[in-house]
Amino acid sequence: MYCIIFDDLVPMQEEFDEHAEKAKTLPESTTNENKLILYGLYKQATVGAVNTSRPGMFNMRDRAKWDAWKAVEGKSKEEAMGDYITKVKQLLEEAGAST
């Protein structure tokens, strides 16, 4: 059973890595909200549950990133990868439709 899960994860990991690269090509017009969603899903997929304390209120940028990561806490690595891939595809389609 472990091998089946591992075998299923390898293609997903490759697709995730591919979409992580594609995410770097998203237009500047991508909203901060969408960037934060991607950030949270990426961290959940690559690191797992939040493992740092919440930044102070004067560090608004890092605090928003931490909050985005905390919002997806509890998702498995596979769920986070799948959601990340879906979101990148959606944003790329929207960017293509708006050009």
Side-chain angles (χ1 to χ4, degrees), residues 4-61:
I4 293 171
I5 293 170
F6 180 75
D7 288 344
D8 289 344
L9 187 56
V10 171
M12 180 177 269
Q13 180 68 54
E14 290 171 2
E15 187 176 3
F16 175 78
D17 293 342
E18 178 184 321
H19 281 81
E21 286 301 311
K22 288 180 179 182
K24 295 175 185 177
T25 69
L26 288 169
E28 296 272 334
S29 60
T30 304
T31 66
N32 283 338
E33 180 183 355
N34 282 322
K35 289 177 185 176
L36 287 169
I37 290 168
L38 288 177
Y39 177 84
L41 290 169
Y42 183 87
K43 291 293 279 189
Q44 188 68 20
T46 58
V47 177
V50 174
N51 58 5
T52 60
S53 58
R54 189 175 191 218
M57 67 178 162
F58 296 111
N59 192 347
M60 292 172 39
R61 181 176 170 265

